[in-house]
Amino acid sequence: MVASKGPGCGPTPDLLFGSGLLLSRYFISDWAALIKKKKAFARRWNSDGPVVSELESSDMGNKQTIFTAQQLDAYQDCTYFTRKEILRLFYRYRDLAPQLVPLDYTNQPDVKLPYELIGSMPELKDNPFRQRIAEVFSEDGEGNMTLDDFLDMFSVLSEMAPRDLKAYYAFKIYDFNNDDFICKSDLEKTLNKLTRNELTEDEVKMVCEKVIDEADLDNDGRLSLEDFQNMINRAPDFLSTFHIRI
Amino acid sequence: MPPKRRNHDIIEVENVGMDVDAEPDSDSEEEARRRSRNRRSKSQRKAKQVSEDEDEDEEEEEDEPPRRRGRRKTTKTDEDETPQRRGRGKRTKPQDSDEDEEGDKRRAARKGSKASKKKAAKETSDEESEEEKVGRKKAGRAVSKKEKEEQNKEQKGNVKGKDGENKDKKKKKKMSSSSSSSSSSDSDEESLSEGEIAALKEQVEEKKKLIATLRNKPWRMNKRLSLLKEAQDFVEKFEGALGKGKGRRLYAFKVMMTKKLIKFNRDFENFKTACIPWERKIKEVESHFGSSVASYFLFLRWMYGLNLVLFGFMFGLVVLPEVLMGLPYGSIPRKTVPRDEEDTAMDFSVLFDFGGYCKYSILFYGYYNNDRTIGVLQYRLPLSYLLTSVGVFGYSLLVVIRTMARNANEGGDGGDEGEFIFSWKMFTSWDYLIGNPETADNKYASITTSFKESIVDEQENQKDENIHLRRFLRVFANFLILCSLGGSGYLIYFVVKRSQEFAKMDPKTLTWFENNEVEFVMSLLGLVCPPLFETIAELEDYHPRIALKWQLGRIFALFLGNLYTFLFALFDEVTAKLETEKSIKNATEWALHQYYANYSSFYNTTDVPPPKVAPADVIRGPCWETGVGREFVKLIVSDVQVTYLTILVGDFARAFIVRFLNYCWCWDLEAGFPSYGEFDISGNVLGLVFNQGMIWMGAFYAPGLVGMNVLRLLTSMYYQSWAVMACNVPHERVFKASRSNNFYMGLLLLVLFLSLLPVVYSMMTLAPSFDCGPFSGQEKMYDVVIETIDQDLPAFIGNIFIYASNPGLIMPAILLMILAIYYLNTVSKAYQQANTDLKKKMQMAREDEKNRRNNKDSTNQVMKDLEDLMPDKSLAPPPAEEEKPPEVVIDKSVKPTKTKPGTAEKGVNVQKEVSLAAPNPRRPVTRAPGPRGGPPGNTRSPQPQPGKGRGQGAAPRR
């Protein structure tokens, strides 16, 4: 046990000097690996359909490891999911575009699924805010998601996520213009999405005013994150509605 | 300690030097301000450290940076360099205490040269040799260089981590130069002085905390992953270093165990989630029908779990021992079908009625023998029978109450409902679980209607006439329902009376209808009344969720009537049976006596063998317990039949007809009259609740009942979820199930109590049958316990029980309990009162604040900005002027130009007062509030301190 703690000991000077060099070498090798991987993926992408499927079916047959154990552990530490759920999510992710997503994630391939695919998931496709959800959780802000983003999204929307975290992301989702405030236009958009434009303009206006009147604590005519949290923390249904089971 | 002394001296000198240096520097005001701020923040940080870390080391460490800064003029580089220096300072200190000379030298060197890379290298080598002694070296050597590199990086972070603010540290880490700090870090970990270890320990703790809470952070996955890795590596590396000699090994062991424990916990958690059945099925239902329908299935699943446990008790402690170790079938009268029933005992009609072989089987009370102990294990079956039956109740009670308490804790305090009607509707009404276009359509519609309703409510809040009408309607509806409840009650009473008359007549002369009148009327009422109530409830115009509760309550009342009628009928039967039993008992005893007398007089001997009669031919009593058990079992079975048939006919056939006859029908069947059925939540929930009540009551008389119920629940889970998906349509107004699960639980609790009563009554007062069941031969059933206490337990325990059962002791105990209840009740009421008071206060404060802000809107806004930007009030005026223009961004600020530097001071004070008067309840803020923060600062002004003090917990944007 003590031996395993060994890395804590200090390095010798030559080690120290060498480390910089080594680091660079390490990085370089890593780069090379990365480039290789990318090429491999490019090949896969560009190859014809049947070849790909064949390749992958053979992968499946061989029970190839998708994640390393460390990766799985790390994901379990970073999300609210268990190992099984992470794998299930991965398969869900992969099922969206089997030809794009490799079965081997041990090298962190750089794969992104476009919003069109993400938004077509049964869990999201009837959600009026699906585009916002995808945008908020995607790294590029356009709704194109990597597996990490995907896991992130469902982790936040899972049952286990705490109220604060959910509130934060809910705020982002409802903040349509990304200005860190929910202003009237955001509210109008939200309302129209919720009711499919069934309310008259006057009604919309009135509801928006009421919302701001209720929740805006600092009276600046828009809801800040604080206002939003204050409001949402007392909502009895927020936790039960703001979650997606996967 | 000499070294300490010296350090202090140096510090003092250096501090002075800094001051002296600083003053002439301040030629431009701005610079001075900036510096002062820097110093301030530093000192704050320092203060934190002092509290946290070991003073001796830290003192020097803290003071070093300012000293350096004094020397150097540019503040920017200052910012970057201090951490390194700090790290180095820290590194050297522990050695100071060890070897003063070297430390001094080094310090001198540090003062003189800037980076001193070589020095660092030398130090490390020195320390290396030192470290060999410590003995941790080998592993360290073995580690690859790459890992070293990583450690270095982390170390950087940790040096800064001292700053107390996790996030700042992380950001800054990237900027800091690598070489010197890395060397410092390396030496850092080698020296193992006390302070160092304490600091390390703290850092490790911090990292661990970070790991534990990482998933709660609103960061991108990438960032999280890298942070996680960093933290894990760090922890990995340093955990072992904490602790010395023996302690270290122990510590390492502890660490290992915690790791294993965590792993185990995680695996266990995984296992537990894997064990929960029907998750997907329920999810499917939920996404199609909303959470209200799903709540029924969740309840069903919960019930299944409960019954499984009860079945485990019953089966493991009562049924299985009797099967394995008891006498076999046919050995004694109670385990044999009597002669006159033998012919029909295998007929299906009889078996289906739970007569014949079923009646004399392990399913029922009568089968169990009254031997005190059975088998080689000397298992006390009668005792275990009684205790298990009581334990079933106890366990159920415990579980129900625990679940209720847990449910009550969940889901926010829905206290002030009226405060955020529209906001909540806006932001929480969409159920993200919905994954079905039809449900989504319904949800859209229901949201729209609810918004419209709220709008109308809002607009017509003042008009009372509507409310009068509604009130009248509600009262009227309740009156109608009371009438129908009373009517049905009378009907049941009437029918029961009649059936008692019928019972006296010869059963052969009665028609089938007359025989089954009670059951028939009851199921008719059960069929007719709920829809009737629903129709009447339309008048009340409640929210469907509230309507559901009312509906549940009303049907509950109806069912309760049925249940108790059934019980009373049963009780009559039991007393009648007791009578016959008594006569039979007398007759058998008389016969036995005769036999003995004849035998002894005939053979002239006192050694009389027992009469040789085949067990089937023995005259026996009616065994009322088995009778009762049979009634319950029959009831359950017929209930299952009715439920399943109703689903088959009412839902499936209807859906079938509507779907396929629609092609050749005059009107649109799907949209028009019959349409598809909706899932009847209230009926199903109540069915389940009452079914459970039956199980609780019947389990004592028929231990096999629990097993049957498990089967029933299992099948109905599959059957109903299929039926609901196949034949039902979502509710017209999809509504959320908001904690109505607790309402279900409340009903269940009530039923549990109601079913507890008759069972305990029969246990305590009725005499058990003399020739069947585990308690035969006893005066009362609970005599088994007394007997055990008397014979099998040591005497003093018996004494204890005797004392405990003394009224003199029981009365005070009850009194005490009542007092405790009273006290707790009062306390909880007081808390509640305090709660509401606080809520009111908060509300008032909020309104107050709002009003005040509305009144002096403009000035306050400005002042607020000012206050935020100006931590140092004495320097306020100049930036005040600069801050005003951006104010235009905020539409409500009316006249920003009005404020003058002179008023600024006052304004700040006013703001203070406001915040004093109305303490903001929503303090836990993750980032600086908007209007005062970013926009104005970014647009203009020197921006005193780029978002350091304020942006503390700043979550990463986008």
Side-chain angles (χ1 to χ4, degrees):
Chain A
M1 199 57 230
V2 174
S4 79
K5 286 322 182 242
C9 307
T12 53
D14 55 323
L15 253 182
L16 199 84
F17 281 119
S19 61
L21 226 160
L22 207 99
L23 177 79
S24 60
R25 204 180 297 154
Y26 169 66
F27 269 140
I28 287 166
S29 67
D30 201 13
W31 267 104
L34 219 78
I35 290 164
K36 248 186 239 165
K37 277 271 135 52
K38 277 210 167 155
K39 271 186 188 159
F41 282 123
R43 237 180 292 137
R44 266 203 201 178
W45 282 22
N46 299 335
S47 59
D48 297 328
V51 179
V52 171
S53 67
E54 196 184 289
L55 231 169
E56 275 166 9
S57 67
S58 75
D59 281 355
M60 291 256 237
N62 292 342
K63 284 261 175 199
Q64 192 190 348
T65 49
I66 299 162
F67 301 110
T68 59
Q70 290 87 352
Q71 268 179 311
L72 269 180
D73 276 342
Y75 277 135
Q76 286 187 71
D77 274 326
C78 289
T79 64
Y80 296 96
F81 293 126
T82 58
R83 176 185 304 257
K84 202 175 131 196
E85 285 166 325
I86 288 169
L87 283 179
R88 197 162 78 211
L89 273 171
F90 169 74
Y91 284 119
R92 287 300 306 274
Y93 182 70
R94 192 172 173 277
D95 284 346
L96 293 176
Q99 71 279 11
L100 290 187
V101 185
L103 262 175
D104 175 18
Y105 252 76
T106 47
N107 306 301
Q108 325 244 320
D110 180 29
V111 178
K112 268 186 188 176
L113 293 190
Y115 163 69
E116 287 71 29
L117 285 174
I118 301 286
S120 69
M121 291 181 68
E123 279 82 4
L124 289 177
K125 79 177 180 338
D126 292 303
N127 196 317
F129 305 110
R130 60 183 176 280
Q131 179 142 21
R132 275 306 295 167
I133 297 174
E135 280 170 13
V136 164
F137 284 101
S138 61
E139 188 115 43
D140 60 0
E142 314 230 313
N144 307 321
M145 298 190 121
T146 62
L147 179 67
D148 284 355
D149 295 335
F150 190 78
L151 286 175
D152 213 11
M153 171 167 79
F154 284 107
S155 166
V156 169
L157 287 167
S158 75
E159 244 167 329
M160 303 293 295
R163 197 177 264 267
D164 283 343
L165 187 67
K166 277 178 183 266
Y168 175 78
Y169 277 104
F171 179 79
K172 303 223 78 164
I173 286 171
Y174 295 122
D175 175 20
F176 280 81
N177 50 13
N178 290 332
D179 64 351
D180 296 332
F181 289 99
I182 294 184
C183 53
K184 276 214 173 122
S185 66
D186 294 329
L187 287 175
E188 276 165 23
K189 264 186 203 154
T190 310
L191 189 56
N192 283 333
K193 277 193 187 289
L194 269 181
T195 58
R196 287 190 175 160
N197 301 319
E198 299 258 320
L199 296 181
T200 65
E201 243 171 69
D202 284 347
E203 284 170 331
V204 170
K205 217 173 177 183
M206 189 206 146
V207 170
C208 293
E209 266 165 22
K210 280 300 290 182
V211 169
I212 287 189
D213 185 45
E214 283 168 2
D216 181 21
L217 288 178
D218 46 15
N219 259 12
D220 56 356
R222 50 193 188 166
L223 305 187
S224 63
L225 180 58
E226 278 174 71
D227 296 334
F228 187 78
Q229 279 174 333
N230 175 44
M231 180 266 296
I232 216 79
N233 280 344
R234 300 197 213 165
D237 297 330
F238 176 64
L239 280 186
S240 63
T241 56
F242 195 73
H243 90 255
I244 293 180
R245 267 194 213 154
I246 189 104
Chain B
M1 274 169 113
K4 193 174 178 182
R5 253 275 116 73
R6 209 173 309 150
N7 288 351
H8 274 300
D9 291 346
I10 292 163
I11 290 157
E12 268 169 39
V13 168
E14 278 162 3
N15 275 343
V16 171
M18 178 189 71
D19 284 344
V20 171
D21 275 356
E23 258 166 44
D25 277 343
S26 60
D27 27 6
S28 73
E29 255 200 24
E30 232 180 78
E31 255 220 62
R33 211 183 308 140
R34 208 179 301 159
R35 185 159 312 147
S36 76
R37 173 142 317 119
N38 271 334
R39 213 172 294 147
R40 239 165 58 97
S41 66
K42 287 274 142 63
S43 64
Q44 274 166 4
R45 244 178 279 154
K46 268 179 257 159
K48 250 180 233 164
Q49 287 163 17
V50 172
S51 66
E52 289 164 0
D53 298 352
E54 201 130 306
D55 4 336
E56 186 196 329
D57 299 343
E58 294 304 338
E59 251 166 89
E60 202 196 85
E61 182 194 327
E62 288 148 19
D63 285 33
E64 245 169 353
R67 177 225 312 165
R68 282 291 169 133
R69 209 184 312 123
R71 299 267 150 82
R72 216 164 287 178
K73 257 140 223 183
T74 46
T75 35
K76 269 214 171 167
T77 48
D78 206 25
E79 201 51 19
D80 291 350
E81 299 248 7
T82 35
Q84 304 165 13
R85 214 156 292 123
R86 213 181 250 226
R88 215 181 308 150
K90 189 174 131 215
R91 170 227 335 157
T92 48
K93 243 135 292 142
Q95 282 157 5
D96 281 349
S97 58
D98 291 344
E99 337 130 56
D100 304 344
E101 276 200 16
E102 214 204 276
D104 270 6
K105 244 187 266 166
R106 211 177 297 145
R107 203 178 299 128
R110 206 194 313 137
K111 268 182 215 156
S113 73
K114 232 206 239 163
S116 73
K117 224 188 215 174
K118 277 177 209 163
K119 194 88 200 174
K122 198 189 130 204
E123 278 165 28
T124 47
S125 65
D126 283 351
E127 279 149 14
E128 206 90 83
S129 59
E130 227 177 291
E131 239 229 332
E132 299 275 20
K133 289 176 230 153
V134 187
R136 292 178 49 238
K137 206 50 257 214
K138 281 156 216 161
R141 283 267 170 77
V143 177
S144 73
K145 288 185 176 184
K146 170 198 142 202
E147 230 175 321
K148 281 265 144 85
E149 196 57 40
E150 265 176 14
Q151 291 161 15
N152 290 351
K153 263 190 266 163
E154 272 150 38
Q155 195 48 42
K156 272 179 262 158
N158 296 314
V159 169
K160 253 144 249 162
K162 294 247 142 176
D163 292 6
E165 282 156 44
N166 252 337
K167 272 140 223 175
D168 277 6
K169 138 189 117 186
K170 241 123 244 171
K171 262 174 245 155
K172 266 200 281 164
K173 171 187 15 174
K174 265 130 218 171
M175 315 189 321
S176 63
S177 64
S178 63
S179 65
S180 66
S181 73
S182 72
S183 75
S184 78
S185 69
D186 289 334
S187 59
D188 193 18
E189 73 214 32
E190 272 137 55
S191 43
L192 286 162
S193 82
E194 289 294 315
E196 197 89 308
I197 286 179
L200 257 183
K201 223 171 211 164
E202 201 170 287
Q203 286 171 27
V204 167
E205 284 310 310
E206 210 170 83
K207 287 282 180 191
K208 273 186 183 165
K209 219 162 86 188
L210 178 70
I211 292 176
T213 59
L214 195 61
R215 55 186 77 166
N216 295 348
K217 300 280 185 344
W219 296 332
R220 291 263 161 241
M221 186 70 90
N222 278 342
K223 189 179 170 193
R224 262 189 256 164
L225 283 175
S226 60
L227 279 180
L228 174 74
K229 191 148 192 290
E230 239 165 56
Q232 272 176 342
D233 286 347
F234 180 79
V235 171
E236 180 102 348
K237 192 173 69 157
F238 283 108
E239 256 172 350
L242 307 175
K244 265 184 175 176
K246 276 187 217 160
R248 182 189 298 162
R249 185 155 289 182
L250 187 71
Y251 189 82
F253 180 72
K254 253 203 256 168
V255 167
M256 188 182 71
M257 284 325 279
T258 40
K259 247 187 211 165
K260 287 254 159 81
L261 193 72
I262 288 169
K263 174 113 177 50
F264 174 77
N265 277 343
R266 183 174 282 171
D267 284 350
F268 188 65
E269 210 61 34
N270 286 352
F271 174 72
K272 262 195 333 202
T273 42
C275 280
I276 295 174
W278 304 313
E279 199 62 41
R280 297 190 67 90
K281 240 183 179 37
I282 292 176
K283 190 224 149 185
E284 202 182 0
V285 171
E286 187 164 14
S287 62
H288 276 82
F289 293 86
S291 47
S292 52
V293 175
S295 73
Y296 164 72
F297 284 96
L298 288 175
F299 188 54
L300 182 60
R301 186 175 72 182
W302 185 87
M303 210 70 119
Y304 178 73
L306 174 70
N307 274 286
L308 220 52
V309 176
L310 297 190
F311 175 69
F313 279 144
M314 263 303 180
F315 191 76
L317 296 177
V318 174
V319 178
L320 212 57
E322 177 72 25
V323 170
L324 293 180
M325 302 186 282
L327 295 168
Y329 173 83
S331 54
I332 48 172
R334 70 184 66 180
K335 296 190 178 190
T336 319
V337 177
R339 191 71 69 196
D340 53 338
E341 287 178 31
E342 257 175 10
D343 302 337
T344 57
M346 261 322 259
D347 290 359
F348 179 73
S349 61
V350 176
L351 283 183
F352 196 68
D353 227 16
F354 291 92
Y357 285 107
C358 273
K359 192 172 163 188
Y360 301 96
S361 74
I362 200 81
L363 280 181
F364 293 107
Y365 170 93
Y367 184 83
Y368 295 84
N369 202 354
N370 65 339
D371 285 347
R372 278 201 67 228
T373 57
I374 53 171
V376 283
L377 295 178
Q378 302 290 305
Y379 189 76
R380 292 188 171 75
L381 189 82
L383 182 70
S384 127
Y385 194 101
L386 189 81
L387 291 187
T388 308
S389 306
V390 175
V392 160
F393 280 107
Y395 177 77
S396 313
L397 211 60
L398 204 78
V399 169
V400 171
I401 288 179
R402 235 192 64 180
T403 313
M404 279 181 85
R406 207 186 303 139
N407 282 357
N409 285 340
E410 266 173 17
D413 52 340
D416 29 20
E417 296 281 320
E419 205 178 337
F420 294 117
I421 307 169
F422 283 96
S423 313
W424 287 349
K425 274 211 175 105
M426 179 87 91
F427 296 118
T428 67
S429 61
W430 182 262
D431 197 343
Y432 279 60
L433 280 169
I434 292 174
N436 168 272
E438 209 173 331
T439 322
D441 282 345
N442 283 324
K443 189 75 191 176
Y444 282 123
S446 87
I447 289 175
T448 313
T449 22
S450 79
F451 264 118
K452 281 190 170 155
E453 279 168 9
S454 297
I455 290 168
V456 171
D457 277 358
E458 192 62 33
Q459 281 168 348
E460 300 187 359
N461 223 358
Q462 291 83 8
K463 291 176 190 167
D464 276 7
E465 70 212 347
N466 221 347
I467 281 182
H468 280 310
L469 179 65
R470 185 167 287 181
R471 268 187 199 149
F472 168 73
L473 280 179
R474 282 181 185 174
V475 170
F476 182 63
N478 275 317
F479 174 72
L480 281 183
I481 282 167
L482 275 183
C483 282
S484 53
L485 273 181
S488 62
Y490 179 74
L491 192 63
I492 292 173
Y493 173 78
F494 178 75
V495 172
V496 169
K497 274 269 170 206
R498 240 163 77 98
S499 76
Q500 281 169 352
E501 275 171 33
F502 286 144
K504 282 173 200 150
M505 290 151 58
D506 184 17
K508 299 227 166 74
T509 59
L510 297 173
T511 60
W512 175 86
F513 177 77
E514 281 167 332
N515 259 330
N516 296 294
E517 201 177 38
V518 179
E519 286 83 1
F520 184 76
V521 168
M522 276 199 195
S523 29
L524 198 71
L525 280 178
L527 271 180
V528 171
C529 279
L532 184 72
F533 291 165
E534 211 159 331
T535 326
I536 295 173
E538 295 276 299
L539 283 178
E540 296 178 308
D541 198 23
Y542 278 124
H543 184 274
R545 199 185 311 145
I546 302 165
L548 174 68
K549 284 190 182 173
W550 277 99
Q551 178 79 354
L552 276 169
R554 282 162 186 164
I555 304 177
F556 187 83
L558 181 76
F559 278 18
L560 212 59
N562 291 1
L563 185 71
Y564 263 66
T565 326
F566 170 75
L567 281 185
F568 282 126
L570 214 58
F571 195 70
D572 283 345
E573 215 177 301
V574 166
T575 40
K577 273 191 180 158
L578 278 174
E579 289 298 313
T580 51
E581 191 188 79
K582 213 176 267 174
S583 61
I584 290 177
K585 190 181 173 188
N586 285 339
T588 38
E589 268 169 10
W590 175 245
L592 213 61
H593 187 253
Q594 288 287 306
Y595 164 78
Y596 281 130
N598 287 341
Y599 193 93
S600 54
S601 63
F602 190 74
Y603 292 104
N604 207 4
T605 171
T606 48
D607 183 25
V608 186
K612 266 188 195 150
V613 188
D617 294 327
V618 173
I619 305 164
R620 54 181 95 173
C623 195
W624 62 268
E625 291 96 338
T626 298
V628 172
R630 256 183 82 198
E631 288 297 322
F632 276 112
V633 174
K634 273 199 275 186
L635 204 70
I636 293 291
V637 169
S638 73
D639 186 40
V640 173
Q641 286 165 357
V642 168
T643 318
Y644 286 9
L645 271 181
T646 319
I647 290 173
L648 207 60
V649 175
D651 287 326
F652 185 68
R654 176 171 160 190
F656 197 82
I657 288 169
V658 168
R659 177 80 179 78
F660 291 104
L661 240 58
N662 203 22
Y663 297 120
C664 48
W665 204 260
C666 358
W667 69 82
D668 190 359
L669 282 174
E670 283 184 339
F673 162 59
S675 181
Y676 297 104
E678 283 179 358
F679 186 77
D680 177 18
I681 304 173
S682 56
N684 277 303
V685 166
L686 283 178
L688 210 56
V689 167
F690 276 92
N691 173 56
Q692 193 58 39
M694 297 288 175
I695 301 303
W696 278 321
M697 269 191 275
F700 180 69
Y701 306 106
L705 197 58
V706 189
M708 292 170 67
N709 192 42
V710 168
L711 278 185
R712 181 231 163 116
L713 292 178
L714 191 66
T715 49
S716 75
M717 185 77 203
Y718 286 103
Y719 184 57
Q720 286 197 304
S721 63
W722 164 77
V724 77
M725 294 297 287
C727 334
N728 287 348
V729 287
H731 287 250
E732 211 170 305
R733 290 171 72 186
V734 189
F735 60 95
K736 304 174 288 274
S738 166
R739 289 195 284 165
S740 55
N741 249 344
N742 237 0
F743 193 73
Y744 300 164
M745 288 289 161
L747 293 182
L748 196 66
L749 192 65
L750 192 59
V751 164
L752 180 56
F753 272 118
L754 291 178
S755 53
L756 185 63
L757 288 181
V759 174
V760 170
Y761 175 78
S762 73
M763 266 184 212
M764 289 303 176
T765 53
L766 295 181
S769 306
F770 75 102
D771 62 346
C772 69
F775 309 113
S776 54
Q778 314 273 6
E779 208 47 20
K780 296 276 184 290
M781 288 177 186
Y782 66 84
D783 285 348
V784 179
V785 182
I786 294 170
E787 194 184 84
T788 311
I789 291 171
D790 281 349
Q791 297 182 9
D792 298 332
L793 294 179
F796 75 94
I797 292 181
N799 283 341
I800 290 174
F801 272 99
I802 287 171
Y803 288 131
S805 60
N806 189 349
L809 212 69
I810 290 178
M811 290 298 283
I814 289 177
L815 264 180
L816 200 69
M817 272 200 255
I818 290 174
L819 280 181
I821 290 173
Y822 176 74
Y823 170 73
L824 289 178
N825 199 23
T826 322
V827 167
S828 85
K829 257 187 199 149
Y831 280 141
Q832 231 166 14
Q833 182 68 28
N835 229 340
T836 48
D837 276 358
L838 277 179
K839 258 180 207 157
K840 223 184 273 172
K841 225 176 254 175
M842 262 163 63
Q843 173 90 7
M844 264 165 52
R846 190 168 150 255
E847 264 159 28
D848 214 34
E849 197 179 353
K850 244 183 172 178
N851 286 341
R852 219 178 285 198
R853 281 197 181 148
N854 276 337
N855 291 345
K856 27 184 149 176
D857 206 357
S858 57
T859 46
N860 261 336
Q861 280 296 343
V862 176
M863 289 319 135
K864 242 186 301 158
D865 288 358
L866 270 182
E867 197 198 19
D868 241 44
L869 290 168
M870 297 280 87
D872 202 346
K873 251 189 265 168
S874 60
L875 295 165
E881 303 260 325
E882 285 165 10
E883 275 318 291
K884 267 180 286 160
E887 208 51 57
V888 187
V889 179
I890 297 148
D891 23 352
K892 276 189 188 170
S893 64
V894 192
K895 306 159 206 162
T897 42
K898 216 172 76 182
T899 29
K900 274 172 192 131
T903 55
E905 208 73 15
K906 206 174 121 205
V908 170
N909 286 337
V910 166
Q911 186 50 40
K912 276 268 154 65
E913 273 167 28
V914 168
S915 60
L916 266 179
N920 236 343
R922 61 200 149 90
R923 246 312 78 178
V925 175
T926 50
R927 65 185 189 84
R932 317 151 210 165
N938 289 339
T939 45
R940 318 197 63 196
S941 92
Q943 185 64 348
Q945 195 192 1
K948 197 185 237 166
R950 290 173 294 145
Q952 288 190 0
R957 323 267 65 193
R958 240 146 287 144

